[in-house]
Amino acid sequence: RRRPCRTRTSGGLFGVVTMPISAITRTWPILQWALASTLFLHTAAAASIQPGAASIVSALTDVKGALGRRYGLTDSTGLQMASLHLLDAEPSTSLYHGLYMTNVGTTWEVRVASSTDLLQWTYIRTLLPNADMPYAHTVASNGWILVAHEQWMNPGSHAPSNLGFKLYYNQSDLIAGRHFNSFVAPLSVGAKSHLEGTPSVYSAELVFRDGYYMVDAEIGFHFNDEQGVDQVAQGKLTSFGPSVVSPGWSASVATGYDAAFVRAGAIGNIGQRDSGVLGGQLVVVQEGNTGHMPPTIWADWRLWLYTPAQGEPLPPTGAGTITMLQPQTDKNSTAFGNPSFKIVPCPSGRSVGAGGDCVFVSFFAFSEGAAPGEAGVVAFYNPAP
């Protein structure tokens, strides 16, 4: 299986839509107009990127000039480290730790691994069976770690796919596999397709409610709609803490955000995303497909930089600016997805960026758009902007 994202049973192929030649002929003028409009809007959005964004774009895309890079990233067992998401660095150790997904036989699992240099990773344990797409977020006020993930509800990683959440007291407990609460959210906007996934955590705050400390979090995720196309949605997880309290969950389609990406050229699937602050600027890195779907056109996956408008909160509303990112690899690969980035201390002996930090970036290079030797997970780090 080449695609570690939305790969439900057959490489992400949910169905095939056909159109007779006569229909194509009738709609061609409309398609031409839509294409021209898309190109214009994308160009306008790209032109409005703030001046300081150049260093952010470079940090996220300069693979061949990076301080360190690796193509086809695997762990010490030789298995692919897809959707690698780093934990916050801890001052008490020089080790980096990351969560990732890998396929064992016919089943996905979430693993945790450690590294001293961000490029060679030692497998520690399987954290979550029959699950994938992990995302970790540290609650700033007390150090609890919220992990969001896709949870397959049938053996062999078969649908339905729900959003799962785990809560850990600290990084040591996470590495040891000891969570103190677990919650699988009921299907919401993806109830008809039975497919929801690629969660990200926009924010998580500690609250004191009904005599307990708990977490309220803003969550991003995608669902497969009635046309078989992935769209971004947003959810609110509330009162997630001690197991004696039942957490709340509500979700809605990110209509404005999705529409903004369609206008920018992502007319197919819009899926996984990551958000954070780079160079003092809040940004979202979003994967999107420029080909009509279904079926999935793997060579058309691209990465995009979303810069929220002034005062725009997360989850994003679509009021911000969007530009396509073009990662510069050694051999000029073109199709990418599954973005992740994290500010961490630079590996020992390497040049450093702002505050002595580096930005670690990973994404997936699809074989249909990858140059020889570059397919699979691409991992690299640059000085922090």
Side-chain angles (χ1 to χ4, degrees), residues 282-307:
L282 178 63
V283 297
V284 180
V285 180
Q286 175 72 57
E287 66 172 13
N289 199 293
T290 60
H292 284 280
M293 297 186 172
T296 298
I297 303 172
W298 303 107
D300 287 345
W301 279 103
R302 298 293 184 268
L303 299 177
W304 313 74
L305 181 68
Y306 181 88
T307 306

Side-chain angles (χ1 to χ4, degrees), residues 66-87:
L67 296 176
R69 65 191 184 282
R70 184 177 171 188
Y71 298 99
L73 184 68
T74 58
D75 65 13
S76 57
T77 72
L79 292 181
Q80 188 179 79
M81 300 183 69
S83 296
L84 174 60
H85 190 86
L86 266 57
L87 304 180

Side-chain angles (χ1 to χ4, degrees), residues 230-301:
D230 289 346
Q231 298 286 281
V232 174
Q234 57 204 28
K236 190 170 185 63
L237 177 67
T238 57
S239 301
F240 189 39
S243 57
V244 296
V245 179
S246 297
W249 173 253
S250 60
S252 60
V253 180
T255 306
Y257 183 74
D258 287 331
F261 275 91
V262 171
R263 291 193 299 269
I267 59 176
N269 285 345
I270 308 172
Q272 192 173 11
R273 74 230 61 80
D274 198 359
S275 60
V277 176
L278 292 175
Q281 172 67 56
L282 178 63
V283 297
V284 180
V285 180
Q286 175 72 57
E287 66 172 13
N289 199 293
T290 60
H292 284 280
M293 297 186 172
T296 298
I297 303 172
W298 303 107
D300 287 345
W301 279 103

Side-chain angles (χ1 to χ4, degrees), residues 139 141-142 144 167 180-181 204-217 237-248:
V139 181
S141 55
N142 70 346
W144 287 1
L167 201 53
F180 71 90
N181 202 359
E205 63 175 352
L206 190 70
V207 297
F208 189 74
R209 185 179 295 135
D210 299 328
Y212 297 98
Y213 284 103
M214 297 175 279
V215 171
D216 287 352
L237 177 67
T238 57
S239 301
F240 189 39
S243 57
V244 296
V245 179
S246 297

Side-chain angles (χ1 to χ4, degrees), residues 34-50 260-266 304-305 320-326:
L35 179 60
S37 299
T38 296
L39 291 173
F40 171 79
L41 288 166
H42 171 65
T43 302
S48 60
I49 293 297
Q50 297 178 3
F261 275 91
V262 171
R263 291 193 299 269
W304 313 74
L305 181 68
T321 58
I322 301 171
T323 188
M324 185 185 293
L325 296 174
Q326 297 177 320

